[in-house]
Amino acid sequence: ASPGGPVIVRWGGVPGTVHHVFRRGGFLTGPAPDGRDARDTALGFLTRHRDLLGLSLESVRALEVRGVVTDPGTDAAHVVVRQRVEGIPLYQGILKVNLDRDGRVLSVAGNTALETILPGARVLDAEAALVLAARSVRVELDAAPARAPARPGDAKDEIRFEQGPFESAPWAHPRWMPRAAGASGAGLAPAWVVVVDPLGDEGWYQVVVDARTGEILARHDLVERAATQGLVFREDPGQGP
């Protein structure tokens, strides 16, 4: 580590998981060795401090590097990784390692999850999950629409459906959903993340369905709304609204 104030650790919602690590007025590490890029520096930091992050060596090795973004003004680098278990990504399981231009680690932010898999098999397929997700936003289906061909740019695990009774075609993909302590303890539940766009509804919903039981674990409206007032200029602002 480098000189500075105390290291601050903000824990996640489940004991043993981390949301944010940083040092007040300083860095978490010294400069990276010459020639070592941001990706390797970030993965090395996560490997050395995996116990703090609630990760095993195996889980660190399974991290998927989603990208490295460099700030053109400061040359700071942001390495984005995603946690996977048995090849399936975790829901919102994204970590970002932030480094300065010299490869010093500034902070780690995101969400880690304990990789204990909760009891119960994945018994619901994507079609059943879509029917349940649709019902949660007041769309009744006797059966899911037929599957549609993949589109360029789709993730390998993404399942697309024909449009059916929706404003736009729904899709689904498998995920692990971190669960807080319950009867079976904290861990990961197999789930489907389904996106549905109901007709006549301003919302566009992401619904997480427990693949063991059909329980709706989360639902988010992906549409952001803002109420404001202003003047509209049709052509030339100099001519007034």
Side-chain angles (χ1 to χ4, degrees), residues 33-238:
D34 290 343
R36 194 172 196 192
D37 63 18
R39 177 187 182 279
D40 289 344
T41 301
L43 292 177
F45 180 86
L46 296 177
T47 300
R48 292 192 303 275
H49 300 285
R50 59 187 181 274
D51 291 341
L52 171 65
L53 299 168
L55 301 173
S56 66
L57 181 59
E58 181 182 0
S59 60
V60 171
R61 289 172 175 168
L63 290 172
E64 173 193 3
V65 178
R66 300 283 291 168
V68 179
V69 179
T70 302
D71 188 316
T74 64
D75 289 332
H78 311 283
V79 181
V80 181
V81 300
R82 180 162 66 179
Q83 194 175 350
R84 284 178 172 266
V85 176
E86 297 182 353
I88 298 175
L90 271 63
Y91 179 68
Q92 295 183 342
I94 296 292
L95 277 177
K96 184 186 291 184
V97 183
N98 304 300
L99 307 96
D100 75 351
R101 67 174 67 204
D102 296 318
R104 299 180 182 91
V105 175
L106 300 165
S107 64
V108 178
N111 295 285
T112 60
L114 300 178
E115 298 191 353
T116 302
I117 296 175
L118 296 175
R122 185 185 292 270
V123 297
L124 298 180
D125 60 14
E127 283 78 4
L130 173 55
V131 170
L132 293 168
R135 186 179 300 161
S136 78
V137 293
R138 300 175 299 280
V139 178
E140 292 294 334
L141 296 177
D142 294 327
R147 294 195 182 193
R151 299 178 183 177
D154 282 355
K156 292 181 179 180
D157 62 358
E158 191 165 301
I159 298 172
R160 285 197 173 270
F161 296 91
E162 299 292 347
Q163 182 172 334
F166 298 98
E167 188 74 32
S168 61
W171 70 89
H173 42 234
R175 291 290 184 267
W176 294 107
M177 181 67 168
R179 303 301 308 274
S184 303
L188 304 176
W192 289 98
V193 176
V194 185
V195 176
V196 288
D197 185 8
L199 276 170
D201 188 324
E202 294 181 352
W204 190 37
Y205 300 97
Q206 182 187 79
V207 185
V208 183
V209 181
D210 192 318
R212 307 167 300 171
T213 65
E215 178 186 355
I216 303 300
L217 302 178
R219 182 175 57 240
H220 305 288
D221 188 350
L222 300 176
V223 176
E224 298 286 346
R225 295 175 175 83
T228 187
Q229 294 181 339
L231 300 177
V232 177
F233 298 90
R234 294 188 177 183
E235 296 180 5
D236 184 358

